[in-house]
Amino acid sequence: MIIPAENERDLKEIPETITGPLEIVPVQWMDQVLDLALERRPQPLPEDVAVPGETPKEQVAGGDAARGNLNPH
C-alpha cells in the first residue's frame, strides 16, 4: 500500500492485525508512486502522432474552433 509520507505517523493508531500483512510504503513525491506502481514509466507521444479522440492541432486552428464556434454540429 502506498501512502503519503506525512501519514506515516498515523500508522501507530492502526492495529498490527490490520497493518501486519500489508507492505506499507510511505512516499513523498508522485515520481515515487509511479516507480512503485508501474512496470515502466510512460513516455510522451511525439507531437506528430494523432491521439484517438483528439482533433489534430492543425484542424482546430483552421476550423470552426478558431472562429469561436465550438459546436461541431
Side-chain angles (χ1 to χ4, degrees):
M1 178 184 308
I2 301 170
I3 65 168
E6 295 173 354
N7 292 31
E8 187 175 16
R9 64 180 177 266
D10 298 330
L11 290 174
K12 63 184 175 205
E13 299 174 15
I14 302 173
E16 177 69 25
T17 55
I18 294 173
T19 60
L22 300 175
E23 178 185 353
I24 300 174
V25 182
V27 296
Q28 185 171 1
W29 305 105
M30 188 62 192
D31 288 350
Q32 295 170 298
V33 173
L34 295 176
D35 289 339
L36 291 165
L38 301 177
E39 290 182 13
R40 62 182 172 75
R41 284 287 193 102
Q43 298 297 316
L45 292 174
E47 288 192 28
D48 61 341
V49 174
V51 177
E54 288 189 8
T55 304
K57 292 177 186 175
E58 301 80 37
Q59 290 178 0
V60 172
D64 288 341
R67 293 186 289 278
N69 183 3
L70 300 178
N71 186 354
H73 300 283

